[in-house]
């Protein structure tokens, strides 16, 4: 399939910063989940599995945002959407039912442990994807 010359790429201009931030969060969430799962899994399995899931979502979003093409754009859109729903769901549950999350995840308290960046990042990602559609 031939590429269109004026195809907008998600990893150009401000998109490079977005990809870099997603890469940092992918690394942070992966590291956090690896340590939690390997040392304290029995203490809070749900929270630690959610951290691992967040890590996978950040990895997928990073790769998809860094690549060009229709398929990568769609994968990035789905990853950012899943991330946003995850942050809202886990954030709300962790605020209203703190017993369900005795230990924090990346998305607990709407990403409070990460300066609320997990709450804002998917909104920026979805906005950028809309601009580069």
């Amino acid at each position: 399939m031939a590429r269109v010359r004026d195809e907008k790429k998600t990893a150009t201009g401000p998109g490079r910063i977005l990809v870099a931030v997603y890469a940092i969060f992918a690394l942070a969430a992966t590291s956090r989940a690896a340590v939690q799962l390997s040392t304290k899994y029995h203490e809070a399995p749900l929270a630690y599995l959610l951290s691992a899931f967040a890590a996978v979502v950040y990895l997928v979003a990073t790769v998809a945002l860094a690549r060009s093409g229709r398929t990568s754009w769609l994968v990035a859109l789905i990853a950012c959407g899943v991330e946003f729903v995850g942050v809202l769901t886990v954030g709300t549950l962790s605020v209203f039912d703190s017993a369900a999350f005795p230990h924090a995840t990346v998305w607990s308290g709407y990403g409070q442990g990460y300066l609320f960046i997990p709450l804002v990042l998917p909104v920026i990602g979805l906005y950028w994807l809309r601009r580069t559609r």
Side-chain angles (χ1 to χ4, degrees):
M1 178 183 334
R3 288 189 181 207
V4 179
R5 277 194 178 267
D6 64 348
E7 174 183 280
K8 289 186 178 180
K9 296 180 181 179
T10 56
T12 59
R16 289 180 181 179
I17 297 170
L18 184 63
V19 170
V21 173
Y22 264 102
I24 291 167
F25 268 81
L27 180 62
T30 301
S31 300
R32 178 183 186 141
V35 169
Q36 290 172 330
L37 289 173
S38 65
T39 62
K40 303 186 281 185
Y41 176 76
H42 62 282
E43 293 178 18
L46 176 61
Y48 300 151
L49 288 172
L50 281 170
S51 286
F53 177 72
V56 170
V57 171
Y58 286 126
L59 286 168
V60 169
T62 301
V63 171
L65 285 165
R67 300 184 65 177
S68 60
R70 178 169 282 200
T71 301
S72 293
W73 184 90
L74 184 58
V75 170
L77 180 69
I78 292 168
C80 289
V82 167
E83 176 191 0
F84 190 56
V85 170
V87 170
L88 292 177
T89 303
V90 172
T92 301
L93 290 174
S94 66
V95 168
F96 290 107
D97 187 13
S98 58
F101 296 95
H103 294 210
T105 72
V106 176
W107 294 339
S108 293
Y110 305 104
Q112 180 179 4
Y114 290 90
L115 304 174
F116 299 100
I117 294 171
L119 179 63
V120 176
L121 193 58
V123 174
I124 295 169
L126 291 168
Y127 170 76
W128 185 249
L129 287 166
R130 187 167 191 265
R131 286 209 48 204
T132 59
R133 179 172 37 181

